[in-house]
Amino acid sequence: MNSRLLKIFETGFLGLLGFSLIAQQQKRFQCAAPYFSFISHSELQQFRLRFPSLYVLDKFQVEHLLSVIRNQTTQTKDFRLYSDRLIRLLIEKAISEHSKKLTPQEGSQTQTPAQEIQFENKQFCVVVMVRSGNAFLSEALKVLPGASVGFILVQEHPQTKDPQLIYCKFPEDIDQKQVILTDAMITTGGRISTAIKALQSNGVNQENIAAVNIVSCEKGVSKVLHQFPKVKVITAGVDYALNTIQDHRFPGVGDFGDRYFGTVDQ
């Protein structure tokens, strides 16, 4: 009789444990679900009111490109193709937000006086954050073939996880340049903030820096723009948050560098 009661008790306990684990797993997935989608249009508008130097590309212009990039089954050749298309739009947006000169236009075909909006390639410097930022260089130099190029490497400290400046190489006159700082994502904001500090230590003003990335997370952008309110952040989309529970990084494009350069199995 006692053995029968013990068996019933064990069966009931295991059943309750199983239901509990299932409920916890469902709750975990429910919590994770928002990380897979961008913040809504109304939330984005409110976010931009707080940070007017944040520029987000038009949803209808980029949603198809992003959907391909964010799909984990996308092969390297397509990931690279769609990333390049998106990067080109981001670089053009960065150029449009930098200051330009208005000069009288000679030989105008119109009947009214006209002015030409000009900028010189050499007034720009593309600063690449190794290594995912390297993916931006090809498209940037197609748009700005005369631009100078700088490189910066920021890595996490193995114990503290704090970002550390490992290496940087900038043109000597970078303090006179309009800087386009490239990285794939803004997650916690630590890497990009470290890079901005390095640029400032070389004489670059905040208002002359445009930080360009594929996708950002809300927390990271907030950190960067609270610290550097005059820096322009240009992105294709803003995710809700950075997931610290699972071994994945959101904004959700996976490891951009591995996927773009083909150093991960598909």
Side-chain angles (χ1 to χ4, degrees):
M1 183 69 179
N2 289 338
S3 61
R4 181 179 297 179
L5 287 173
L6 180 60
K7 186 175 182 180
I8 292 171
F9 173 79
E10 288 176 346
T11 303
F13 175 78
L14 291 173
L16 288 172
L17 181 61
F19 281 122
S20 176
L21 290 173
I22 290 170
Q24 289 179 14
Q25 190 74 352
Q26 287 176 338
K27 184 177 179 182
R28 182 182 181 186
F29 286 135
Q30 287 171 359
C31 291
Y35 297 130
F36 290 92
S37 60
F38 293 124
I39 63 177
S40 68
H41 179 72
S42 59
E43 290 172 317
L44 181 59
Q45 295 306 308
Q46 291 299 316
F47 194 53
R48 284 215 60 211
L49 287 175
R50 290 170 53 203
F51 302 110
S53 60
L54 170 65
Y55 300 88
V56 182
L57 298 185
D58 184 83
K59 172 187 174 183
F60 299 106
Q61 186 180 23
V62 301
E63 62 181 354
H64 172 58
L65 303 177
L66 282 169
S67 70
V68 175
I69 293 170
R70 289 161 74 89
N71 187 338
Q72 64 179 354
T73 65
T74 298
Q75 298 297 304
T76 299
K77 62 181 181 64
D78 290 326
F79 185 87
R80 193 175 292 158
L81 172 65
Y82 282 83
S83 294
D84 285 347
R85 289 176 60 187
L86 187 54
I87 287 167
R88 182 66 169 262
L89 296 174
L90 290 163
I91 295 296
E92 294 283 10
K93 179 62 176 176
I95 294 170
S96 74
E97 295 302 333
H98 275 303
S99 59
K100 305 171 189 67
K101 298 176 182 177
L102 288 175
T103 59
Q105 186 175 3
E106 297 180 1
S108 173
Q109 295 181 2
T110 63
Q111 299 297 318
T112 56
Q115 288 186 319
E116 184 178 1
I117 300 174
Q118 292 183 335
F119 67 88
E120 296 181 355
N121 284 198
K122 63 182 181 181
Q123 80 181 73
F124 287 91
C125 178
V126 180
V127 175
V128 171
M129 293 193 68
V130 180
R131 86 175 160 140
S132 62
N134 291 58
F136 290 69
L137 190 55
S138 176
E139 291 301 315
L141 292 181
K142 289 176 184 176
V143 180
L144 299 166
S148 55
V149 179
F151 293 90
I152 185 166
L153 175 61
V154 177
Q155 291 183 332
E156 288 183 349
H157 188 279
Q159 278 79 45
T160 66
K161 303 301 181 183
D162 292 330
Q164 289 185 308
L165 178 63
I166 305 299
Y167 170 83
C168 65
K169 179 67 174 178
F170 303 138
E172 292 183 357
D173 61 345
I174 194 168
D175 58 323
Q176 305 298 316
K177 302 283 189 180
Q178 302 283 330
V179 174
I180 298 176
L181 177 63
T182 67
D183 199 11
M185 296 183 287
I186 293 180
T187 52
T188 64
R191 273 172 51 85
I192 203 78
S193 295
T194 302
I196 292 169
K197 290 176 184 176
L199 289 167
Q200 286 185 314
S201 68
N202 282 268
V204 181
N205 295 324
Q206 282 190 44
E207 54 267 30
N208 291 336
I209 301 172
V212 178
N213 59 89
I214 300 287
V215 288
S216 303
C217 92
E218 190 176 5
K219 182 178 178 180
V221 172
S222 297
K223 177 181 177 178
V224 171
L225 293 180
H226 269 123
Q227 194 170 3
F228 309 104
K230 294 183 180 179
V231 168
K232 293 177 279 290
V233 172
I234 298 170
T235 186
V238 179
D239 267 341
Y240 279 99
L242 177 68
N243 183 10
T244 57
I245 300 173
Q246 300 174 349
D247 187 24
H248 294 283
R249 282 190 172 184
F250 300 98
V253 296
D255 189 315
F256 183 90
D258 278 344
R259 297 185 71 194
Y260 187 91
F261 296 111
T263 52
V264 63
D265 292 335
Q266 295 288 342

